[in-house]
Amino acid sequence: QLQVVESGGGLVQPGGSLRVSCAASGFTLDSYAIGWFRQAPGKEREGVSCINENLNYIDYADSVKGRFTISRDTVENVVYLQMNSLKTEDTGIYYCIGVRKAYGRCLLGAPHDDWSWGQGTQVTVSS
């Protein structure tokens, strides 16, 4: 199964910014719709954002719209999630994984069966 490595998490104060990354080796991320998920303590994992392989569609959860930006670096074979104006409720482990599509659009919160979850990267927003 396909898998990526997440990195870039850390401790940040409310209102701060952080950028998390997911990198692949042995295959090209550009060939897949990719999504970011997060799991807060005691809660289920939820979809945060997704991006089509050809960049023609991007989606965000309502809770992060206007604050988070998903992007790709095709040269580095990396997908980023830039997080601004962070809130304490953004705390959690952030994961990156391939996602399913419907009608040509990546599906938020729908991991693809051909992928397995990585270790994730911890993001803690606290004063």
Side-chain angles (χ1 to χ4, degrees):
Q1 285 192 311
L2 301 171
Q3 192 176 66
V4 295
V5 176
E6 301 92 344
S7 61
L11 173 63
V12 62
Q13 292 186 342
S17 298
L18 206 58
R19 188 179 74 170
V20 291
S21 308
C22 75
S25 60
F27 66 97
T28 304
L29 286 174
D30 285 354
S31 300
Y32 303 93
I34 301 295
W36 279 98
F37 293 69
R38 68 185 179 190
Q39 187 166 21
K43 294 188 177 181
E44 292 188 356
R45 190 150 40 194
E46 62 174 350
V48 174
S49 180
C50 70
I51 184 169
N52 269 12
E53 63 273 32
N54 55 8
L55 308 182
N56 66 344
Y57 183 76
I58 289 174
D59 197 12
Y60 298 95
D62 288 343
S63 58
V64 306
K65 279 182 181 175
R67 300 188 298 121
F68 289 13
T69 302
I70 191 171
S71 63
R72 293 182 182 268
D73 185 327
T74 57
V75 175
E76 297 295 328
N77 200 25
V78 174
V79 174
Y80 297 108
L81 185 68
Q82 176 68 43
M83 304 181 291
N84 299 328
S85 303
L86 282 161
K87 305 176 181 179
T88 55
E89 51 263 43
D90 294 319
T91 293
I93 300 175
Y94 282 70
Y95 302 89
C96 173
I97 196 168
V99 294
R100 292 184 281 115
K101 293 171 63 178
Y103 304 105
R105 299 180 174 183
C106 61
L107 293 176
L108 201 63
H112 198 288
D113 291 342
D114 292 345
W115 291 67
S116 59
W117 295 99
Q119 295 297 310
T121 185
Q122 175 71 48
V123 172
T124 303
V125 185
S126 175
S127 55

